[in-house]
Amino acid sequence: ALAAGAGQTAGSDEALRLLALMKTANASVVDLECTFRFQVTKRGKRFPPHRAVLRLRTEPETIHMTYVEPNKGRQVLYIKGQNHGKMKVRPGGFWKFLVVSIDPLGEQAMEGAIDPLTAQGLANVVRQAEETIAEARRAGNGEVSVDWDFRDDKGVYARLRVAGPPVGEMVMLVDKATFMPFRIVKSKG
């Protein structure tokens, strides 16, 4: 369960300060491996929860996911500047020997996704948050807040929230020791 903290401040300046701290901390990350859990609701349809091992590399910019559930064994690889901008996908299961190339922005890749695979990665997460804040500011009726002492059942985090008609809602929990994103929740129309 999530509970509000006492350190809440409003405004995009505080949000941009948090994102600047994330950029500074993340500049030293070369390779990262983590368990990536996500569940998407898109146009009212809720997709099943996913769990994958996500591996990120900065040079060359590489995103590799191995699905644990569902689609156990499916692997997706994207290397910026290679494979004509396409992802390489190995379906797993009976078809594990097959490798197909898929456009990361194409209908097949975006089914059940809000953001393309190419939007993963620490720098891209920060860039997307900056763009969401800018969009909310342009609309003039968005809410932007940072709670520096947000508590949930896993710990205390910095919580960035951006909400409003043009952007829907984005909530990002950021580990205060590492300034790495811990949880990102997005919803849009």
Side-chain angles (χ1 to χ4, degrees), residues 39-183:
Q39 185 167 19
V40 173
T41 302
K42 187 174 178 181
R43 292 193 273 299
K45 180 180 179 185
R46 190 172 184 97
F47 291 85
H50 287 71
R51 187 165 51 106
V53 175
L54 175 64
R55 294 175 186 91
L56 304 171
R57 175 172 288 156
T58 54
E59 277 305 317
E61 185 177 321
T62 304
I63 301 165
H64 180 258
M65 288 178 70
T66 302
Y67 285 80
V68 177
E69 62 182 349
N71 309 311
K72 184 176 179 156
R74 174 184 289 170
Q75 294 185 48
V76 180
L77 174 67
Y78 173 79
I79 304 172
K80 188 173 184 176
Q82 295 185 20
N83 304 318
H84 307 289
K86 300 207 185 263
M87 305 182 305
K88 294 290 187 179
V89 179
R90 186 179 300 258
F94 178 76
W95 298 103
K96 64 185 173 190
F97 60 88
L98 182 68
V99 176
V100 294
S101 294
I102 297 177
D103 177 359
L105 300 175
E107 187 177 321
Q108 189 176 20
M110 291 302 295
E111 174 69 25
I114 292 176
D115 297 314
L117 179 79
T118 55
Q120 305 309 315
L122 303 172
N124 289 328
V125 166
V126 172
R127 182 187 48 74
Q128 288 175 44
E130 289 171 332
E131 290 170 1
T132 302
I133 291 166
E135 189 176 349
R137 287 171 92 175
R138 278 192 300 276
N141 60 350
E143 297 174 31
V144 179
S145 65
V146 175
D147 184 341
W148 292 97
D149 295 309
F150 185 82
R151 297 179 187 280
D152 80 353
D153 56 345
K154 304 260 192 255
V156 180
Y157 303 93
R159 176 184 181 255
L160 168 63
R161 180 177 180 269
V162 183
V167 297
E169 182 179 43
M170 180 197 74
V171 176
M172 182 186 306
L173 298 186
V174 178
D175 182 289
K176 290 169 58 172
T178 64
F179 287 102
M180 295 285 205
F182 173 75
R183 182 182 305 154

